[in-house]
Amino acid sequence: MNSPSPGPDEESRARELVDLITQHNRLYYQEDQPNISDAEYDELFRELQDLECRFPSLVFPGSPTQNVGAAPAEGFRSVTHRSPMLSLENAMNDGEMRAFDERIRRALDIDTETDLAYWAEPKWDGASLEIVYLDGKLQVAATRGDGKTGEDVSFNARYISTIPPQLKGGQDVPREISIRGEVVLPIAAFDELNARREEQGLPLLANPRNAAAGALRQLRNIDQARLQALEFQAYGLAEGLPAHAHTQQDIMRSIESWGFQTNPLARVCPDLESALTFHQMLQDQRTDLRVECDGTVFKVNGLDLQKELGEVSRAPRWAIAQKFPPQQQTTRLEAIEIQVGRTGALTPVAKLAPVRVGGVTVSNASLHNQDEIERKDIRVGDTVIVQRAGDVIPQIVAVLPDKRPRGTKRYKLPESCPTCHSKTVRLADEVVTRCPNIDCPDQLKNNLRHLASRKALDIDGLGEKLIDQLVDADAVKCCSDLFSLELATLLGLERMGEKSAENLLSSLEKSKHTTLTRFLIALGIRHVGETVADLLAHHLGDLPALDSKNSDSKNSEIEQLFDQEQIEAVEGIGPIIAESIVSFFSDERNREEITRLRQLGLHWPAVEKTPGKPETAASGKTFVLTGTLTTLTRDEAKERILAAGGSVTGSVSKKTDYVVAGEKAGSKLRKAEELEVAVLDEDGLLELLSH
Ligand code: IVH
C-alpha cells in the first residue's frame, strides 16, 4: 500500500518543526543556552516524528529525527567517533514502557512467560562524553557533537578528577577502549558556584546541565573551579569489549575495575514490572538525588540480544529513557490579576494558559510583589517557565525573552486599589504594596473569612460565597455588622432559604460566646495567630474597655497596657509581633470596632494571668524553613519562631542561625550544609522553642 501524501499544511508544519528543532539543538548543544523547557522540546520532537511517520515522504536526511545533537562548534578540533554516539528513545509513561517491552519481545521472539531483564540506571542530566584510551592511557576526550563528529575537549577533561589519565588493571585492559558517560555538575557544587558568581556580580548559570556542558566546552579553560567540580559517570563501552562480558552488567563491572565511577544506583531489573517499580522509586527520590536526574535509562541486559536488536538511525533499539513527568513547563501569561488580602496587601497573580506540570493542571501562580516582577521582568503576553516541585505551589521561574511579542510593557502594580480605588501605598522598608482603606470590600471579605474561620469565631454556615454576597449587597460594611444582621436582610439575598437564614443567625449567636484567645485571633492582627493570641490573652487576662470616649485616665491605662515594651516583655512575643499588636490597638477605628463587637454581645470569660519570663533560646536568632514539616504548618512554625523572638527569612546565608529542614528539603538544606549553618529537624525546632 502506498503511503498517503502530505497536504500543504502538513508539509509546511514539518518544515517549520525541522527549523525550530534545529535552532533549539544549536542553542542547547552549542551555546548551552536553551530557551525552551525540555518537555516543550520533547513535544515538538514528537510532533515531527509523528508527521514523518504518517507521511514518510516528509523525512529528509537533514531532519533532526534522523540525527543527534548539533555539529561541533568552531574553535574545537573535531573528532570522528569510531561508532556513532546515539541518542535514546523516550517513554513518557508506564504505558509507553510496556509498549517498548512488547516491541522488543516481538522482535526477539520472546514470549511473555520468559523474563527479559533490563539494566536500569538514573538518567543524569549532564553532557555526554567519549573518552578513548590506548594502552591504558587517555588519548582523547570528545563531546557528542552531532553524533558522528564531536569536539575535542581533552584539555578540559584532564581537570576532572573522576576521569583517570591512566587506567587500572594492567595487562587485562584491552589495548584500545572507548568509554562513554555523562559529565555532571552535582547540585550542591552548582549552588556554590552560583553563590560565588552572585557575589562577584557575574551572570548566574541557568542549571547544572548547562553549567556542566559550558565548563566542558570552554575554549580557554578560564573557569578551572567549575571544571574541577565536574564528575564523570561512565554508562557504556563503545570499543574494547572484554571477552568474558555477556551482559550490560558485566560491562559496567569491567568499567569500574578500570578505575571509573559508575552510577551507584544502577541495577539489574529481572523483568518489566521490577523496571517500572525501580522508575517509580527513583521518581519518589528525585528531589533528594545529589545530581539532577530526568528519568531512568533501561537497556536490555543481554549483549547478544542488544546485538540482535541493533539500532535505528539515531537510537539503539535495545534502550529507552523513561522520563519523569516534567516539573517545568512553558505557557503563556495571559493576564495579571490583583488580589487584596486581609491586611490590604496587593498580591499580583499570574493567570496562565492552563498547562500540566508535575501531574497537575496549573493556571494561576503568585507573582508575590512588585520587586519580584521587576527582577524577572514578567509581562502580560510573555511565555513563561512554570515550575511545580512536589507539593510546592507553582511558581514562575523565568520568562523567555525571545518569545516576547512586540509592544509589551513593563508591569507596574496599580496605583489605586482595583476594588475600592483608594490610592495604594508602599512603605519605604516594605516589599508589599497595600490598599490603605480598611473598609475596602476585598479586605473586608478576607477579614470576614478569617473571623469566621475554625480557629477564630468558628461561625458555622458562613462560607466564602455567602460572605461575598453579604459584602456585595452592602449588608455588611464591617465585621461587627455581622452580628446585627436581621432575618429579612438575609432572606433578601439570592438563593437564601428561611431555614439557612435561621441557621446562620443561630450560629452567629452561638459564636458570640467565645474565648479571649479566639477573639484576639478573630481581630486579624498581623502575626497574631493561635500561639501569640493565647500568650497575649494570658498576659492581658481580659480586654479593658477600649471606648475612646472614656476619661483620660482610662485612655492612659490602655496606652500603658499596649505599650511596645510591655508587650515585648511577654514571654514568646518578639519586637515585630509587639509592634504589630501595639499599632493595631492604637488605631482608633480598631478600638471602635472592638467596642461595637462587645456591645453586640461578644463576650468571654476572664483568663488567668501568667507572669512573663525572660529570653528564649530562639530570641534574636534567624531561621529559614525548608521542606514539609509534619506536626506544624509553615505558618504555624513561623508564628512560633516569631513568638519566641526569632525571625524567619526566605534564603540561607552566612547570617542564618538555623535552617529547619522538613521532609523533601531541597537546595536550601544543601546550602545550609555548605555554609555550615546549623540544621534542625522538626523535633529540634520544637525542643529549641521550648527552652
Ligand atoms: S546510553 C546507547 N545511559 O542521555 C545509547 N545515556 O538521550 C546512548 N544519558 O546522549 C546513551 N544517562 O548523554 C545512556 N545511563 C545513561 C545515560 C545516558 C544520561 C544521556 C546521554 C545521551 C542521552 C540520550
Side-chain angles (χ1 to χ4, degrees):
M1 205 173 74
N2 277 341
S3 307
S5 305
D9 284 354
E10 279 128 0
E11 202 172 321
S12 73
R13 178 62 181 160
R15 203 167 297 142
E16 184 179 49
L17 286 167
V18 167
D19 285 351
L20 268 173
I21 296 167
T22 309
Q23 184 190 340
H24 290 309
N25 278 349
R26 186 177 48 74
L27 288 170
Y28 187 94
Y29 292 111
Q30 286 195 352
E31 295 175 23
D32 305 315
Q33 291 227 318
N35 70 2
I36 56 170
S37 67
D38 289 359
E40 203 182 24
Y41 177 89
D42 286 344
E43 223 166 275
L44 292 175
F45 201 91
R46 284 248 164 150
E47 192 187 339
L48 181 60
Q49 268 182 330
D50 214 48
L51 272 173
E52 291 178 342
C53 177
R54 279 193 292 142
F55 309 109
S57 66
L58 289 177
V59 186
F60 68 98
S63 167
T65 60
Q66 310 300 307
N67 299 283
V68 290
E74 270 175 38
F76 293 97
R77 195 175 70 87
S78 29
V79 177
T80 306
H81 301 300
R82 280 165 187 78
S83 62
M85 278 181 88
L86 298 176
S87 183
L88 287 169
E89 195 197 327
N90 289 333
M92 295 304 180
N93 48 48
D94 284 3
E96 294 188 3
M97 255 316 278
R98 289 185 194 281
F100 169 76
D101 184 73
E102 264 172 41
R103 218 160 49 233
I104 288 189
R105 284 177 183 279
R106 227 176 297 128
L108 295 173
D109 204 13
I110 299 181
D111 61 26
T112 45
E113 304 302 308
T114 317
D115 281 348
L116 175 62
Y118 292 102
W119 177 250
E121 50 200 15
K123 185 172 191 295
W124 290 153
D125 206 5
S128 40
L129 187 72
E130 174 179 65
I131 317 171
V132 179
Y133 289 83
L134 199 61
D135 295 324
K137 280 197 185 58
L138 193 155
Q139 286 294 301
V140 64
T143 64
R144 181 167 74 164
D146 61 7
K148 294 182 195 75
T149 324
E151 298 143 330
D152 183 347
V153 291
S154 314
F155 190 66
N156 290 335
R158 290 181 201 275
Y159 286 89
I160 303 173
S161 59
T162 36
I163 297 180
Q166 172 82 51
L167 298 183
K168 290 199 290 190
Q171 295 286 304
D172 294 338
V173 185
R175 180 155 189 271
E176 186 177 350
I177 65 163
S178 157
I179 297 274
R180 290 179 182 175
E182 201 80 351
V183 172
V184 296
L185 183 64
I187 298 164
F190 169 76
D191 287 344
E192 193 179 317
L193 282 168
N194 259 352
R196 216 172 301 151
R197 289 176 79 92
E198 197 170 9
E199 272 168 26
Q200 295 166 349
L202 292 170
L204 298 189
L205 304 165
N207 55 50
R209 193 213 84 90
N210 298 118
L216 192 61
R217 300 170 68 255
Q218 305 173 66
L219 279 178
R220 291 169 292 279
N221 54 340
I222 31 179
D223 196 349
Q224 294 190 7
R226 193 164 14 141
L227 272 174
Q228 278 159 358
L230 297 178
E231 285 177 24
F232 176 75
Q233 284 210 349
Y235 55 63
L237 192 64
E239 194 84 40
L241 189 67
H244 63 270
H246 301 295
T247 61
Q248 188 70 26
Q249 186 181 31
D250 293 340
I251 292 184
M252 298 316 289
R253 286 201 184 117
S254 296
I255 291 180
E256 272 171 29
S257 74
W258 298 331
F260 288 97
Q261 196 177 306
T262 59
N263 204 310
L265 297 170
R267 71 176 65 161
V268 174
C269 296
D271 54 28
L272 176 69
E273 294 313 317
S274 67
L276 294 175
T277 310
F278 178 79
H279 178 73
Q280 188 56 49
M281 181 206 76
L282 206 56
Q283 187 171 315
D284 294 342
Q285 291 180 13
R286 179 181 190 181
T287 48
D288 299 329
L289 299 173
R290 56 184 285 277
V291 175
E292 254 185 23
C293 176
D294 60 355
T296 317
V297 179
F298 292 104
K299 297 168 184 167
V300 170
N301 197 31
L303 297 182
D304 50 343
L305 301 181
Q306 287 186 6
K307 202 163 169 207
E308 196 177 333
L309 285 162
E311 54 214 33
V312 285
S313 60
R314 65 187 300 274
R317 274 207 194 89
W318 44 267
I320 195 161
Q322 186 174 5
K323 295 284 199 83
F324 296 141
Q327 293 189 308
Q328 280 197 349
Q329 265 295 6
T330 54
T331 187
R332 211 180 92 90
L333 192 159
E334 296 182 326
I336 297 180
E337 268 180 25
I338 302 293
Q339 281 174 2
V340 185
R342 195 158 54 79
T343 57
L346 264 54
T347 307
V349 178
K351 297 281 150 184
L352 306 166
V355 64
R356 299 272 304 167
V357 191
V360 298
T361 302
V362 174
S363 47
N364 295 318
S366 172
L367 298 173
H368 307 289
N369 53 53
Q370 181 69 44
D371 286 2
E372 179 77 0
I373 294 179
E374 275 170 26
R375 203 165 56 77
K376 295 180 179 160
D377 187 15
I378 298 170
R379 305 184 189 191
V380 174
D382 270 342
T383 299
V384 295
I385 301 180
V386 190
Q387 177 170 294
R388 207 192 74 95
D391 56 358
V392 176
I393 47 171
Q395 58 183 127
I396 289 180
V397 185
V399 306
L400 302 175
D402 290 1
K403 294 205 163 179
R404 173 168 288 165
R406 276 164 194 269
T408 58
K409 288 205 255 352
R410 282 186 179 274
Y411 182 81
K412 279 259 169 294
L413 277 177
E415 285 177 7
S416 57
C417 168
T419 308
C420 71
H421 310 296
S422 308
K423 198 167 181 323
T424 56
V425 288
R426 179 174 168 184
L427 301 180
D429 55 349
E430 279 202 352
V431 289
V432 192
T433 306
R434 287 178 201 283
C435 164
N437 172 18
I438 62 166
D439 293 328
C440 173
D442 265 6
Q443 270 190 61
L444 177 59
K445 285 176 184 172
N446 284 313
N447 267 317
L448 288 167
R449 267 169 215 150
H450 176 74
L451 177 130
S453 66
R454 213 167 39 79
K455 287 185 175 157
L457 298 186
D458 193 14
I459 308 173
D460 236 15
L462 185 60
E464 221 166 275
K465 287 220 177 81
L466 185 52
I467 289 175
D468 288 354
Q469 270 183 298
L470 288 167
V471 175
D472 294 342
D474 268 350
V476 170
K477 295 202 187 71
C478 60
C479 288
S480 55
D481 280 356
L482 267 184
F483 298 96
S484 54
L485 275 175
E486 285 174 3
L487 189 63
T489 320
L490 291 177
L491 290 176
L493 300 173
E494 243 177 77
R495 288 190 303 277
M496 173 64 85
E498 199 152 336
K499 188 83 192 126
S500 325
E502 275 167 7
N503 284 345
L504 178 64
L505 288 181
S506 102
S507 42
L508 279 165
E509 203 50 43
K510 214 170 92 197
S511 73
K512 287 182 184 174
H513 177 68
T514 185
T515 64
L516 181 53
T517 302
R518 282 179 176 277
F519 183 73
L520 289 168
I521 298 172
L523 293 176
I525 309 167
R526 281 183 81 194
H527 305 309
V528 180
E530 223 180 335
T531 315
V532 177
D534 209 40
L535 292 169
L536 195 58
H538 283 91
H539 168 69
L540 297 170
D542 198 353
L543 267 188
L546 298 172
D547 193 346
S548 56
K549 286 177 216 80
N550 259 312
S551 65
D552 281 354
S553 68
K554 188 82 187 165
N555 268 343
S556 75
E557 184 197 324
I558 295 165
E559 264 152 38
Q560 220 182 349
L561 196 59
F562 291 108
D563 166 78
Q564 172 86 17
E565 269 182 39
Q566 291 284 323
I567 304 287
E568 243 180 83
V570 178
E571 183 204 358
I573 298 189
I576 299 167
I577 306 175
E579 198 187 325
S580 161
I581 296 170
V582 171
S583 104
F584 183 88
F585 284 99
S586 66
D587 188 326
E588 187 77 32
R589 304 183 55 161
N590 291 334
R591 282 152 64 152
E592 277 171 19
E593 181 71 347
I594 293 172
T595 306
R596 267 198 80 201
L597 285 165
R598 290 178 114 175
Q599 281 165 354
L600 288 165
L602 273 93
H603 64 281
W604 50 83
V607 179
E608 197 182 326
K609 285 195 184 197
T610 42
K613 273 196 235 137
E615 298 249 302
T616 73
S619 57
K621 301 280 192 263
T622 305
F623 292 74
V624 172
L625 303 171
T626 178
T628 317
L629 303 177
T630 48
T631 65
L632 298 172
T633 65
R634 276 272 175 113
D635 283 345
E636 281 162 356
K638 184 172 175 185
E639 195 202 316
R640 293 189 55 172
I641 292 169
L642 292 178
S647 57
V648 178
T649 61
S651 57
V652 184
S653 74
K654 290 199 186 92
K655 293 195 191 111
T656 310
D657 294 297
Y658 296 104
V659 167
V660 182
E663 278 169 23
K664 300 216 167 116
S667 63
K668 286 182 189 168
L669 177 57
R670 287 190 289 272
K671 184 96 185 268
E673 281 158 2
E674 246 168 64
L675 297 177
E676 294 179 1
V677 171
V679 176
L680 297 173
D681 60 8
E682 192 165 351
D683 288 344
L685 172 69
L686 294 172
E687 167 88 27
L688 189 87
L689 291 173
S690 68
H691 284 305

